[in-house]
Amino acid sequence: MHSKTDIRHWRSVVFRPKVSKSGREIQQLYVKIQYRGRRETFALQTNNQDKAAEKARQIYLSLVAKGWDETLAERKPKKHRAAGKVATVGDLIKVASERSDIERRTVADYCRAFRLIVGHILGMGAAPRNSSRDDLRRRQARIDQTMLSSITTLKIEQWRHKILATAASKGPSVSRRAKNSLNSQLRQAKSLFSGNALKYLEEGKLIHNPFEGVGLEPRQSMRYHSEIDLDHLIDLALHGNKERDIDRLPSAQLKVFLLAALAGLRRNEIDKLEWSSFRWDENTIRLQATDYFRPKTEESLGDVNVDRELMHALQTLRGNSTSAFVVEAPSSPRLNVGYSAYRCTKVFDATTKWLRNAGVNTRTPLHTLRKEFGSLMCSRYGIYVASRALRHRDIHITSQHYVDTKQRLVPGLSGALAVVRSPTA
């Protein structure tokens, strides 16, 4: 296999497309190039394979050096100019989705947040859970046809205050969650109007950013507080409890439970984890980018050191499996999609249901296991080790969201209070 900077790589991938009806090949050579989550086809203006390969290599080098914007302006000027006209919500989303250098799934999150806000401004509310695909398509079409100029800062502020007022009427805990959720939606939607998106538009400087000046709520603490007994949960997972009508976990669910609780892996990491990532002699799971797995951040990659007993348990659970993936599932990984696509959705759902039955009554029981893992690491080895074990970008994330000390720390001055007597003594 040759590097993409080597002409021999491109010599093997240039092709002549066929005319669908006749099956006749077009003599001119073409190439499909994928870079940073985007894929384009380029006409190479030659039927000579060596010349075509060199042109394809130059296009790739241009993408690496200049990005999609400048490369398309040079190689596909008509298409590049056409993409610059943006008037509606759908126009902006289309351009951002197709032309941004940002990770595709990240852009999709920004688009979903913006559509959600526009939908609320239009008075549509949240889509019912039982909505059909046709209903969802009609809903999205209505949102996408909305003129950008009609989404004003005033309307966004009115939506924001309505959300906060509704949440406040339901109590402090709902209000706190709503403020953090609102901040997240606003940050994501704002990103569609950032330089990374608008730099691809000829009219980018003329597009008004309706989120400019929209404030965020003070950040509400979401620090984890442990309310579970992990040793007891592990015992239930392995043996069940007939009196409480809790069954032991089947193999696939048990692997999910162990990887989340004792290795601190995220859902997507578990979903795409392959047996080739295990370093059995070193008691290490090596998380690395693969054909199927893209990390949340680059800091998410690395070695996860685990107990020898966990490695032995997983090796036993592997048995005679011929699957490349640790958790077997009938579906294959979905590549290059703008949403969270899991192979093991049914396994995750079953594990979540079991956890709730076992007493883990949080909004995200599976992620709670990861938080419990982080808290245990912090108690035993300190927050810096916990942050590395959780593979966070920096220690502030660990402190703000994940860590709850499992040790009962007190000043140790209670002996001085021994002389205090009851007032009636």
Side-chain angles (χ1 to χ4, degrees):
M1 182 178 292
H2 302 293
S3 165
K4 289 186 179 181
T5 59
D6 191 323
I7 192 173
R8 289 174 292 182
H9 167 81
W10 300 105
R11 194 180 290 126
S12 65
V13 298
V14 296
F15 67 97
R16 292 183 175 87
K18 292 182 179 180
V19 179
S20 58
K21 291 184 179 179
S22 65
R24 179 177 56 83
E25 284 187 344
I26 297 174
Q27 290 303 304
Q28 181 177 238
L29 287 159
Y30 287 71
V31 67
K32 291 182 185 290
I33 299 180
Q34 181 165 318
Y35 179 68
R36 300 195 71 174
R38 183 176 179 183
R39 186 181 179 90
E40 286 279 350
T41 302
F42 294 87
L44 299 172
Q45 310 297 329
T46 181
N47 61 2
N48 182 287
Q49 193 170 26
D50 288 335
K51 291 181 179 179
E54 178 56 24
K55 285 189 175 185
R57 190 177 78 92
Q58 291 300 326
I59 294 172
Y60 173 76
L61 293 175
S62 175
L63 286 171
V64 174
K66 304 175 184 178
W68 279 107
D69 185 35
E70 291 188 38
T71 300
L72 287 174
E74 294 171 0
R75 306 283 177 170
K76 292 186 174 184
K78 290 183 179 179
K79 180 174 181 179
H80 182 72
R81 284 196 298 272
K85 298 180 179 179
V86 173
T88 66
V89 170
D91 290 339
L92 178 62
I93 287 176
K94 185 175 186 296
V95 171
S97 300
E98 292 181 354
R99 305 178 66 81
S100 177
D101 281 345
I102 304 170
E103 177 70 30
R104 184 174 179 182
R105 179 177 165 185
T106 302
V107 174
D109 288 339
Y110 297 164
C111 295
R112 273 190 287 271
F114 187 42
R115 279 192 175 117
L116 182 146
I117 293 172
V118 173
H120 278 283
I121 289 173
L122 295 175
M124 299 171 68
R129 289 188 177 183
N130 59 350
S131 299
S132 68
R133 290 188 178 182
D134 288 339
D135 288 340
L136 292 173
R137 289 193 188 99
R138 284 191 288 270
R139 174 190 174 86
Q140 182 171 308
R142 182 185 168 192
I143 292 172
D144 286 357
Q145 290 165 7
T146 304
M147 300 299 292
L148 277 174
S149 57
S150 71
I151 306 302
T152 63
T153 303
L154 176 61
K155 289 181 180 178
I156 294 173
E157 286 286 9
Q158 289 172 337
W159 161 77
R160 173 172 164 265
H161 287 296
K162 183 178 180 180
I163 292 291
L164 292 174
T166 301
S169 68
K170 296 180 180 180
S173 61
V174 175
S175 179
R176 293 173 69 83
R177 288 198 302 269
K179 288 177 181 178
N180 281 340
S181 179
L182 186 69
N183 285 347
S184 176
Q185 291 165 5
L186 285 172
R187 288 193 186 98
Q188 290 182 333
K190 279 183 178 182
S191 297
L192 277 183
F193 295 84
S194 68
N196 284 341
L198 297 186
K199 72 180 181 181
Y200 296 100
L201 311 180
E202 292 177 359
E203 303 170 0
K205 294 182 180 179
L206 302 178
I207 295 177
H208 171 63
N209 180 0
F211 292 94
E212 188 173 352
V214 176
L216 299 177
E217 292 301 303
R219 185 187 173 278
Q220 308 295 298
S221 174
M222 297 297 288
R223 182 175 293 182
Y224 173 65
H225 296 290
S226 175
E227 295 181 358
I228 64 176
D229 183 340
L230 189 55
D231 287 336
H232 180 59
L233 270 182
I234 293 172
D235 183 67
L236 288 177
L238 295 176
H239 306 108
N241 187 314
K242 291 184 178 180
E243 293 180 0
R244 294 178 56 188
D245 196 25
I246 298 175
D247 295 328
R248 57 178 295 183
L249 280 174
S251 175
Q253 296 173 39
L254 182 58
K255 283 184 280 191
V256 170
F257 172 85
L258 294 175
L259 288 168
L262 302 183
L265 268 57
R266 301 177 176 92
R267 183 181 294 240
N268 193 44
E269 293 166 349
I270 296 171
D271 188 75
K272 312 295 189 304
L273 185 65
E274 299 179 53
W275 289 114
S276 58
S277 298
F278 284 71
R279 304 296 181 265
W280 300 104
D281 295 336
E282 303 170 22
N283 298 323
T284 296
I285 302 172
R286 178 160 296 170
L287 293 178
Q288 53 196 350
T290 68
D291 292 339
Y292 308 108
F293 172 69
R294 288 185 178 179
K296 184 176 181 181
T297 64
E298 287 301 308
E299 289 77 13
S300 298
L301 301 177
D303 289 350
V304 180
N305 299 318
V306 299
D307 293 316
R308 183 179 66 246
E309 291 79 6
L310 174 60
M311 295 294 277
H312 177 73
L314 290 170
Q315 199 165 31
T316 301
L317 290 170
R318 182 181 187 182
N320 297 321
S321 172
T322 57
S323 172
F325 295 100
V326 175
V327 182
E328 296 182 26
S331 57
S332 300
R334 298 178 187 177
L335 305 178
N336 298 319
V337 293
Y339 54 90
S340 300
Y342 300 121
R343 300 167 44 254
C344 308
T345 298
K346 291 183 179 180
V347 180
F348 291 145
D349 289 347
T351 308
T352 297
K353 183 178 180 180
W354 183 92
L355 285 168
R356 288 201 169 104
N357 191 34
V360 185
N361 297 311
T362 60
R363 294 180 64 199
T364 53
L366 199 56
H367 196 62
T368 297
L369 297 181
R370 172 174 160 81
K371 292 182 177 182
E372 187 69 16
F373 166 83
S375 293
L376 288 170
M377 293 296 290
C378 181
S379 295
R380 294 177 183 176
Y381 308 111
I383 193 169
Y384 291 98
V385 172
S387 185
R388 289 199 301 271
L390 291 165
R391 290 160 288 112
H392 285 156
R393 179 172 295 175
D394 58 61
I395 196 172
H396 299 292
I397 297 173
T398 315
S399 175
Q400 290 173 358
H401 294 278
Y402 286 81
V403 172
D404 180 31
T405 179
K406 304 291 287 185
Q407 295 177 343
R408 188 168 178 271
L409 304 178
V410 294
L413 302 176
S414 55
L417 302 178
V419 297
V420 176
R421 297 180 180 178
S422 168
T424 58

